Amino acid sequence: MPNSAVFVPHFHWDREWYEPFQVFRHRLVTALDTVLETAEADPDFRFTVDGQMAAVEDYLEMRPENRERVAALVREGRLAIGPWLILLDEFLCSGETIVRNLRMGWAAAERLGGAMPIGYLPDMFGHVAQMPQILARAGIEHAALWRGVPGSVDGHAFRWRAPDGSEVRTEFLFDGYDNGLDVLLVPDRIGSALGEYDRMTAERWGGDPVLAMAGTDHHAPDPQLAAWLRHASGEERPITVATLDEYVRAHVRDEVHSVVTGELRSHVRGNILPGVLSVRLGLKQRMAVAERTVDHAERMNALWSRRDDSAFLSLAWHKIIESTAHDSVVGSGTDETCDQVAARLDEAAQTARAVRDAALAEPAALVPSDGFLVANPLPSARTALVEVDVVAPAEGSTLIATTADGASHPAQLVSAAPTVLSDERLDASQLERVLRRIHRRELFGRQIDHYELTPNSLVFHLAEVPTSGPFDLMVLRGEVAAAASAHPGRWRVRTLTEARATALVAVPVPASGLAGVRVAASDTSPAPATRSAPATAASGALSNGLVEVAVAADGTLDVTGVDGTILTGVGRLVDGGDRGDSYNYAPPALDAPVSEPTRVTVEVLESGPLRSRVRVTRVYEWPAALSSDRDVRGYRTVPTPVEMLVELRTGEPFVRISTSFLNQSADHRLRLHVPLPEPVTTSASAGQFAVTERGLTAEGGWGEYPLPTFPASSFVSAGAATVLLDHSTEYEVVDGGCALALTLLRAVGSISVNIHPLRDEPAASEIPAPGAQELGMRIEHRFAVVPCAAGWREAGAVALAEEFRNDVLVVRGTAHVDGRLPEDTTGVQVEARDVHVSSIRRVGDGVGGAGTEIRLAAMSDSPSHVRVTGAFTQATTVDLLGRPLSPPPGSEPVRDGLEFTLAPWEIRTVVLR
């Protein structure tokens, strides 16, 4: 008996890609105009809008008069919208961004009549392990996707299980999201074509109807589609037109037996295009900065501001989420598209920064202007190093930091600033031009403290914080005019500033809290810091009592950890050719990797006691480009100095490493190696609410060579080496399991190439993308290496990664100088091991009134006990869409803190009031 068939009219809409957003939007408006007209003319027509509300929002911004037409079709169930705001690349953003994407998309769809309750993920380049839990905790029971599904799935559906055990029934689009198009090529032969397709794929469907996805990229279905299908439908093979939701809920009957746990990154049934993890580095770094800035802004606004800046924060999140689209942050678009993504991410960070700074300005108003406010964005107490600008100590004096409790802490002098900012000689008639530089009281970015006006001499004395009383620019103008008239001829004008210095201070800061600190010169030294041994550096060796680093002759590092583990050769650079494109790496046929520098220099920059720094400069001869046939690296080389800043801070069990170089070569891939003391067979990386373990190989098929390159977000670990990361990074375990390699740069010149040695099918048209070569760009990375023989759990990598990525925030006080420092203040505190707090934010007057929402994720395969304390008396557990779960409709009363246990890998959201 032939299977019935269900056709799902849809399109897949890349918001920006080989054309920029506005060009694609022009096509979008035309396509959705056609969809609305078709649906209103034919009651049998249904349409699924790609699972993302961005397409609907972009359309209604141009066609606001059609809002009710869209809403009417949604209410009738003939237009399926949502649940996402945008179809994202799941590996190149944080887990929190995925949640906000779903939450904002769901809310936007609800305003138009309701969201499609299907986790539709048609074209992402693989899927994160925790996606089933994210969907399930939003009340979504079904998903549908294509890429990444392993070869063990032999039907058209499987149960997808997250690490915590959550499951969603998942429709496997094994022939892609356009499998119905070939059947529709000749309208008069739909029946026979469908029969042939059914026979070819019968084992997949069992007793369920054939799902025919009738749509493709950037095109509306033909308005005659429903009529063609009515004509082709018959008793032997009924054909139905439905939304994706209707297919899953109304037509599927067979029980699903296949179970897949964790992430989906198999190449068996579709290209996952892993090279997008490492192309256009700047977009990945901007994404991390934007996410971190909006997170800090939400925390500061929720805990320390009387002003609700939710509208600005929503704007920042919207721009971040728009940029996560799977053809946006991945960098697989044209240069102009990638420039727009970068600008959007910068704008998101700027919006969030304004909220963050405004929130901190409120408590800073209680700190004297010769002091500083230090804010801790993490919900655990820490002692953090901060750099502040202070009055330089006189010779023989030292700098002392004083906190509100009266305790003294050592400070490290980092640098001194010049005191003479200008020394000019000019005619008396030109003095008025000098005065035009003054804006109220500001000059050279400082404030005028006082001035000295004598015959033929004018001296300005500047300060960070003036102490001489009022300054009147109009009075100064009058005095200078009179003096110039009385003393014509040559004048000397000098601008002097108080002796300033940059100091490094160790400040204890409470959990999610605020601390005040004042730094001043003293003739006595404070007692040695009891927290830890001092950081030192001399002759290419660094130590802080926990970690020791020795610079080898080739410029690599030998790093000894707290437990005595030694990592030898850390920081080895290996540069090879890349003849691939923005989607896939490909080595040239005759590659010539360069790993040895031609020159190495080592310079001690800081010798402690709070921070020690050494700069290692290695010069490499890298080929300028590939040969014309792209199979050989060119013979012309470019000498390229690579600076590596090696840093130890007191009390930190890891070494911080920053690399920087000016890229002058095309068509190459640069990797930094961390050799391992013993070979490994697995690695693990943290990101999107999970730590995912992987082997040394990847499952192949389809026509894409399965390179075992993988994504990491906050850290990656292999054997005794754990590397803390600043942003999403590509890694691979190489040399037979003997080294961990991090990709620092992949420079290519095309969106896609038709002839690719590691991929059969082009990923897009062969469009030049010269900006992806990163020529003339300074390539900078920062990360940290933690040696620990027992691996990432014993090293405490979850907490260390948070401290590494989230610096404290420092603001100068604005209260009257010489006042008392306010007492330290604690915000929300979370006591737990291996638990990631992904969000602390203000929520509005929903059920139970305004409150503070906190989201936690257990990053462990064992239960985690959690204790949350702060200024709250009630707690309500909510789902990922903010709907109360326990105990409805009220809230749990809380005394002396909220305590609960997170199951392994559980994500939980709690609202505190």
Side-chain angles (χ1 to χ4, degrees):
M1 176 70 179
N3 283 24
S4 61
V6 177
F7 280 75
V8 175
H10 75 103
F11 56 40
H12 174 54
W13 205 272
D14 301 293
R15 194 168 187 262
E16 54 201 355
W17 181 20
Y18 56 84
E19 293 283 9
F21 162 56
Q22 296 296 356
V23 174
F24 270 143
R25 173 149 73 172
H26 192 269
R27 300 180 189 176
L28 170 70
V29 170
T30 301
L32 279 179
D33 280 346
T34 300
V35 167
L36 295 186
E37 292 165 3
T38 302
E40 290 168 344
D42 189 337
D44 290 340
F45 185 76
R46 303 286 192 273
F47 191 78
T48 300
V49 193
D50 205 27
Q52 55 178 335
M53 284 301 297
V56 179
E57 290 185 348
D58 293 341
Y59 174 75
L60 291 178
E61 190 174 3
M62 295 294 102
R63 293 278 196 269
E65 68 277 10
N66 288 345
R67 184 177 185 85
E68 182 50 39
R69 293 174 66 193
V70 170
L73 291 170
V74 173
R75 290 192 297 266
E76 293 170 13
R78 298 202 292 130
L79 190 68
I81 61 174
W84 300 103
L85 179 58
I86 207 160
L87 294 180
L88 71 163
D89 186 285
E90 300 166 33
F91 292 98
L92 292 177
C93 64
S94 69
E96 186 61 31
T97 298
I98 297 175
V99 171
R100 300 303 180 92
N101 186 343
L102 182 58
R103 193 161 181 164
M104 293 181 78
W106 189 276
E110 287 294 296
R111 290 192 292 269
L112 282 169
M116 176 177 69
I118 305 290
Y120 187 46
L121 306 161
D123 198 29
M124 287 74 160
F125 307 149
H127 304 278
V128 297
Q130 287 281 35
M131 183 58 77
Q133 184 180 181
I134 291 171
L135 295 174
R137 288 183 181 268
I140 297 174
E141 300 175 347
H142 299 270
L145 50 82
W146 168 31
R147 304 184 196 264
V149 177
S152 59
V153 175
D154 54 8
H156 71 98
F158 61 96
R159 300 203 316 272
W160 187 14
R161 184 177 295 162
D164 77 313
S166 301
E167 287 186 0
V168 289
R169 181 200 176 277
T170 304
E171 189 67 30
F172 178 25
L173 308 176
F174 60 89
D175 271 345
Y177 54 79
D178 60 355
N179 70 314
L181 288 189
D182 287 348
V183 175
L184 300 173
L185 286 176
V186 182
D188 290 340
R189 298 188 59 195
I190 290 176
S192 59
L194 182 59
E196 180 63 24
Y197 182 74
D198 186 12
R199 285 189 292 275
M200 292 170 54
T201 61
E203 293 182 359
R204 289 273 180 184
W205 303 108
D208 288 335
V210 172
L211 171 62
M213 299 294 291
T216 189
D217 297 358
H218 313 130
H219 288 87
D222 192 292
Q224 299 301 310
L225 173 62
W228 296 341
L229 296 176
R230 281 194 297 268
H231 179 73
S233 180
E235 291 185 8
E236 184 177 348
R237 190 190 306 278
I239 296 176
T240 306
V241 177
T243 64
L244 183 61
D245 181 35
E246 289 174 326
Y247 172 79
V248 169
R249 294 178 179 275
H251 297 283
V252 171
R253 294 290 180 266
D254 283 1
E255 184 179 350
V256 176
H257 298 287
S258 295
V259 177
V260 178
T261 299
E263 71 176 3
L264 306 179
R265 289 193 64 82
S266 170
H267 305 253
V268 167
R269 294 297 303 185
N271 296 336
I272 64 168
L273 311 173
V276 299
L277 298 173
S278 51
V279 74
R280 297 198 193 257
L281 163 71
L283 294 182
K284 283 63 171 177
Q285 293 176 324
R286 282 179 165 88
M287 176 61 70
V289 168
E291 289 178 323
R292 191 154 51 236
T293 307
V294 74
D295 177 37
H296 291 176
E298 285 191 328
R299 298 181 189 216
M300 297 305 109
N301 182 257
L303 298 174
W304 308 119
S305 179
R306 294 183 297 273
R307 171 175 169 168
D308 184 355
D309 268 332
S310 297
F312 286 95
L313 294 167
S314 293
L315 175 63
W317 272 116
H318 202 287
K319 290 185 177 296
I320 289 171
I321 294 165
E322 289 175 33
S323 304
T324 65
H326 66 285
D327 283 306
S328 295
V329 69
V330 298
S332 60
T334 60
D335 288 352
E336 61 179 341
T337 294
C338 293
D339 288 345
Q340 289 181 332
V341 177
R344 189 185 303 127
L345 287 168
D346 287 345
E347 191 175 351
Q350 292 154 10
T351 304
R353 189 181 74 206
V355 174
R356 180 200 68 193
D357 293 351
L360 289 176
E362 296 181 43
L366 303 177
V367 177
S369 56
D370 61 342
F372 298 88
L373 176 76
V374 181
N376 180 12
L378 299 182
S380 54
R382 63 200 288 205
T383 297
L385 295 190
V386 299
E387 284 191 1
V388 293
D389 181 77
V390 298
V391 176
E395 188 174 350
S397 298
T398 58
L399 289 172
I400 301 296
T402 306
T403 47
D405 59 3
S408 296
H409 305 270
Q412 176 180 326
L413 184 64
V414 175
S415 63
T419 56
V420 179
L421 301 182
S422 72
D423 188 348
E424 305 168 271
R425 287 168 175 77
L426 64 164
D427 190 83
S429 62
Q430 301 297 310
L431 290 178
E432 173 60 28
R433 296 179 59 190
V434 173
L435 301 184
R436 292 177 191 167
R437 302 172 185 164
I438 302 171
H439 298 88
R440 291 179 289 277
R441 196 168 188 164
E442 180 271 327
L443 183 62
F444 284 93
R446 294 170 172 80
Q447 301 291 307
I448 296 174
D449 186 75
H450 63 282
Y451 58 89
E452 300 173 60
L453 182 60
T454 57
N456 299 96
S457 175
L458 174 60
V459 182
F460 292 105
H461 295 269
L462 310 184
E464 286 289 315
V465 181
T467 60
S468 60
F471 168 79
D472 192 327
L473 181 57
M474 297 305 295
V475 170
L476 174 62
R477 288 184 183 278
E479 291 178 350
V480 169
S485 177
H487 303 282
R490 302 290 290 174
W491 276 67
R492 185 182 186 186
V493 180
R494 290 184 297 161
T495 306
L496 310 178
T497 185
E498 58 188 348
R500 306 296 297 182
T502 299
L504 191 66
V505 185
V507 182
V509 195
S512 301
L514 306 175
V517 64
R518 179 183 277 122
V519 183
S522 173
D523 294 331
T524 59
S525 298
T530 57
R531 174 173 171 262
S532 56
T536 61
S539 302
L542 303 92
S543 176
N544 66 356
L546 298 174
V547 180
E548 294 183 357
V549 181
V551 182
D554 63 356
T556 63
L557 310 176
D558 297 339
V559 184
T560 304
V562 175
D563 64 351
T565 298
I566 301 176
L567 303 178
T568 303
V570 172
R572 178 173 180 256
L573 297 179
V574 179
D575 185 75
D578 191 341
R579 61 159 297 171
D581 51 33
S582 66
Y583 292 103
N584 295 81
Y585 159 78
L590 298 175
D591 200 2
V594 178
S595 60
E596 298 302 319
T598 59
R599 187 169 70 253
V600 179
T601 59
V602 181
E603 179 185 5
V604 176
L605 302 180
E606 298 175 20
S607 54
L610 300 179
R611 182 175 72 192
S612 58
R613 282 179 163 179
V614 167
R615 180 166 57 215
V616 180
T617 303
R618 291 172 286 179
V619 180
Y620 295 86
E621 291 288 338
W622 291 340
L626 293 179
S627 60
S628 57
D629 64 4
R630 302 186 63 75
D631 273 333
V632 181
R633 299 197 79 178
Y635 295 107
R636 186 174 72 85
T637 62
V638 181
T640 305
V642 180
E643 293 183 353
M644 182 168 68
L645 185 66
V646 186
E647 175 182 319
L648 289 183
R649 298 183 181 184
T650 179
E652 290 187 342
F654 51 79
V655 55
R656 294 172 180 255
I657 299 173
S658 301
T659 59
S660 175
F661 65 94
L662 184 68
N663 183 45
Q664 304 171 77
S665 300
D667 311 319
H668 69 126
R669 181 181 70 174
L670 176 66
R671 286 178 152 185
L672 181 142
H673 284 216
V674 179
L676 306 173
E678 300 288 341
V680 300
T681 57
T682 62
S683 65
S685 75
Q688 298 83 33
F689 304 132
V691 180
T692 302
E693 187 171 297
R694 306 177 178 101
L696 302 188
T697 60
E699 186 178 35
W702 188 262
E704 181 180 57
Y705 186 82
L707 287 176
T709 54
F710 299 111
S713 291
S714 58
F715 69 81
V716 57
S717 183
T722 297
V723 182
L724 313 179
L725 302 171
D726 176 67
H727 55 84
S728 297
T729 301
E730 174 191 270
Y731 79 90
E732 182 179 358
V733 177
V734 297
D735 300 339
C738 292
L740 177 63
L742 308 177
T743 304
L744 302 187
L745 173 68
R746 214 165 61 78
V748 296
S750 181
I751 290 180
S752 177
V753 293
N754 282 306
I755 299 176
H756 194 294
L758 302 184
R759 189 188 66 227
D760 292 346
E761 180 183 349
S765 299
E766 192 162 305
I767 300 173
Q773 295 282 15
E774 307 283 9
L775 289 170
M777 302 296 293
R778 181 152 291 278
I779 308 301
E780 298 179 326
H781 285 265
R782 74 179 190 102
F783 45 91
V785 177
V786 189
C788 182
W792 65 268
R793 287 183 177 87
E794 288 303 312
V798 172
L800 293 181
E802 286 300 285
E803 289 200 17
F804 174 70
R805 288 166 70 96
N806 295 275
D807 292 332
V808 293
L809 309 170
V810 184
V811 181
R812 180 178 285 279
T814 56
H816 181 67
V817 70
D818 294 331
R820 289 178 56 84
L821 291 171
E823 295 296 319
D824 290 0
T825 308
T826 302
V828 174
Q829 181 169 347
V830 178
E831 299 171 63
R833 178 176 172 81
D834 291 338
V835 170
H836 169 53
V837 178
S838 73
S839 174
I840 300 174
R841 68 175 188 129
R842 183 196 304 260
V843 291
D845 293 320
V847 177
T852 301
E853 181 187 85
I854 177 170
R855 188 158 16 259
L856 311 97
M859 304 287 279
S860 171
D861 55 9
S862 58
S864 302
H865 180 74
V866 179
R867 176 176 166 82
V868 182
T869 54
F872 58 91
T873 59
Q874 290 184 321
T876 305
T877 303
V878 300
D879 70 5
L880 289 183
L881 299 180
R883 301 172 296 202
L885 294 178
S886 69
S891 299
E892 303 172 29
V894 174
R895 291 192 182 93
D896 301 324
L898 174 66
E899 296 193 43
F900 53 89
T901 298
L902 288 176
W905 309 110
E906 179 188 354
I907 304 167
R908 185 178 298 190
T909 308
V910 180
V911 176
L912 310 174
R913 296 182 175 90

